[in-house]
């Protein structure tokens, strides 16, 4: 920037206006006069030498320069919030672990992995976010997350400097309510023709392997639902809406929490679980605890 007169107060007022969608709402949030906010915005635009907003009807819209400024402001104020939280947690003696959980990853799997962090000598404060795989990778690259737990590795050739760490893999099983599983267990897998199934959506890493397995065994299921969110799929499964695939390593948990019992074992369809980090070698003590728990057999994979 040619002018170095920009300060964080100006940037903060700009950020609030962008988030609130207008000067009036920003003034209400901050408890300041509208003219005060407008003056701060003008000073910021003068300091950077570019217009950050343009008038659209009765509201404001970000210009291209404004969208770029907002992206940086998001990072700046997020880091500021994280710094405050980290300092507060340092006083409390807790280590913070911010985890992104892919919406396609079974929540029982995520719990079993994260459970290992609860038994460390230094207490851990878990902060968990669930989102789609690509959105979580973007947040990881911006250092908004410490680690992402997901069911797929990062594609080779990505421009993001992130690294995939295989945690474990498991055979899968087909499960359902006792009545439903019992109806299709005999003659498995040929018995599955026309069986009601709840499946992950086609952008899920497991779905392609499931479809190939159906094709291999000439099975034509009745797909009654497709779900991006694994937790919602399991909830429908618990209500008896259809059979569904799950990691064999979680058979006991599925029976306890969802009342789901085995209809058949599917060793050809493997579920993979990865931790994705910004580092080739994971150094966060809580993530190291997760890796150690996996190596010690927290998942009794077949």
């Amino acid at each position: 920037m040619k002018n170095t007169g920009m300060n964080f107060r100006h940037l903060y007022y700009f950020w609030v206006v962008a988030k609130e969608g207008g000067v009036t709402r920003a003034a209400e949030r901050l408890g300041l006069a509208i003219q005060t906010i407008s003056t701060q915005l003008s000073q910021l635009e003068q300091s950077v030498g570019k217009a950050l907003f343009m008038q659209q009807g009765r509201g404001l819209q970000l210009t291209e320069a404004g969208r770029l400024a907002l992206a940086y402001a998001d990072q700046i104020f997020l880091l500021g919030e994280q710094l405050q939280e980290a300092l507060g947690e340092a006083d409390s003696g807790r280590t913070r672990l911010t985890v992104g959980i892919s919406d396609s990853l079974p929540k029982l799997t995520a719990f079993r992995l994260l459970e290992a962090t609860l038994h460390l000598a230094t207490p851990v404060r878990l902060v968990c976010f669930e989102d789609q795989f690509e959105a979580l990778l973007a947040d990881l690259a911006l250092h908004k997350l410490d680690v992402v737990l997901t069911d797929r590795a990062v594609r080779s050739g990505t421009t993001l400097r992130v690294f995939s760490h295989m945690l474990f893999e498991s055979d899968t099983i087909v499960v359902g309510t006792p009545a439903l599983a019992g109806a299709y267990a005999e003659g498995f897998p040929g018995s599955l023709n026309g069986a009601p199934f709840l499946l992950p959506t086609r952008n899920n890493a497991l779905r392609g392997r499931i479809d190939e397995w159906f094709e291999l065994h000439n099975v034509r299921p009745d797909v009654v639902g497709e779900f991006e969110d694994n937790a919602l799929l399991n909830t429908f499964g618990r209500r008896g809406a259809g059979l569904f695939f799950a990691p064999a390593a979680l058979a006991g948990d599925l029976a306890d929490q969802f009342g789901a019992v085995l209809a058949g074992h599917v060793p050809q369809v493997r579920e993979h679980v990865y931790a994705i980090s910004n580092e080739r070698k994971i150094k966060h003590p809580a993530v190291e605890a997760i890796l150690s728990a996996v190596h010690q057999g927290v998942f009794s994979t077949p």
Side-chain angles (χ1 to χ4, degrees):
M1 286 174 281
K2 295 179 181 179
N3 189 328
T4 58
M6 185 187 76
N7 61 41
F8 281 106
R9 180 186 297 173
H10 298 155
L11 186 62
Y12 180 68
Y13 289 158
F14 156 77
W15 184 64
V16 175
V17 170
K19 293 295 184 183
E20 293 295 323
V23 174
T24 301
R25 291 178 62 181
E28 291 172 355
R29 172 177 164 180
L30 295 171
L32 298 172
I34 292 175
Q35 185 59 40
T36 301
I37 303 294
S38 297
T39 299
Q40 296 290 331
L41 285 180
S42 295
Q43 290 176 352
L44 177 60
E45 289 180 329
Q46 289 172 15
S47 71
V48 300
K50 292 182 181 294
L52 302 177
F53 292 100
M54 57 184 175
Q55 199 72 33
Q56 185 177 54
R58 296 185 178 181
L60 293 177
Q61 181 177 349
L62 287 167
T63 63
E64 185 175 346
R67 288 192 292 271
L68 180 61
L70 179 60
Y72 278 97
D74 279 340
Q75 295 181 53
I76 289 168
F77 293 116
L78 175 68
L79 287 172
E81 291 172 3
Q82 291 177 345
L83 174 60
Q84 278 191 315
E85 291 175 354
L87 291 173
E89 285 155 12
D91 291 339
S92 69
R94 286 188 175 273
T95 299
R96 178 188 175 96
L97 178 65
T98 307
V99 185
I101 301 172
S102 174
D103 53 11
S104 57
L105 185 72
K107 300 306 171 285
L108 284 172
T109 298
F111 168 73
R112 292 282 295 277
L113 291 168
L114 295 173
E115 187 180 24
T117 68
L118 303 179
H119 308 297
L120 293 173
T122 301
V124 172
R125 179 187 174 191
L126 281 173
V127 182
C128 298
F129 296 95
E130 183 181 3
D131 209 332
Q132 295 182 354
F133 180 70
E134 291 77 10
L136 293 174
L137 287 190
D139 285 344
L140 179 67
L142 292 172
H143 296 278
K144 294 180 181 180
L145 301 171
D146 294 312
V147 68
V148 170
L149 300 179
T150 184
D151 59 350
R152 71 190 76 175
V154 178
R155 291 191 303 269
S156 60
T158 179
T159 57
L160 297 176
R161 190 170 176 76
V162 295
F163 303 94
S164 301
H165 309 269
M166 168 73 87
L167 294 181
F168 78 97
E169 61 177 335
S170 168
D171 292 358
T172 57
I173 50 178
V174 172
V175 297
T177 58
L180 195 59
Y184 293 98
E186 187 175 350
F188 184 94
S191 59
L192 298 180
N193 259 313
F197 261 91
L198 308 169
L199 296 178
T201 52
R202 293 188 183 279
N203 61 337
N204 184 292
L206 188 64
R207 177 60 184 272
R209 296 192 284 273
I210 291 173
D211 288 344
E212 288 176 4
W213 184 80
F214 281 144
E215 190 69 28
L216 176 67
H217 293 279
N218 199 29
V219 169
R220 298 292 181 267
D222 176 17
V223 181
V224 298
E226 298 180 74
F227 301 85
E228 194 165 60
D229 178 35
N230 183 268
L232 185 59
L233 186 156
N234 286 346
T235 300
F236 272 82
R238 178 169 54 187
R239 302 294 291 183
L243 299 168
F244 58 101
F245 286 78
L250 296 176
D253 296 293
L254 289 163
D256 292 341
Q257 295 196 30
F258 296 104
V261 299
L262 179 71
H265 187 205
V266 188
Q268 300 96 330
V269 178
R270 305 283 288 177
E271 178 99 47
H272 304 106
V273 179
Y274 295 86
I276 303 189
S277 74
N278 285 309
E279 304 161 325
R280 287 188 181 277
K281 182 177 168 110
I282 290 177
K283 300 174 184 175
H284 195 294
V287 183
E288 288 181 336
I290 292 171
L291 297 177
S292 176
V294 171
H295 293 152
Q296 291 172 18
V298 65
F299 289 96
S300 54
T301 53

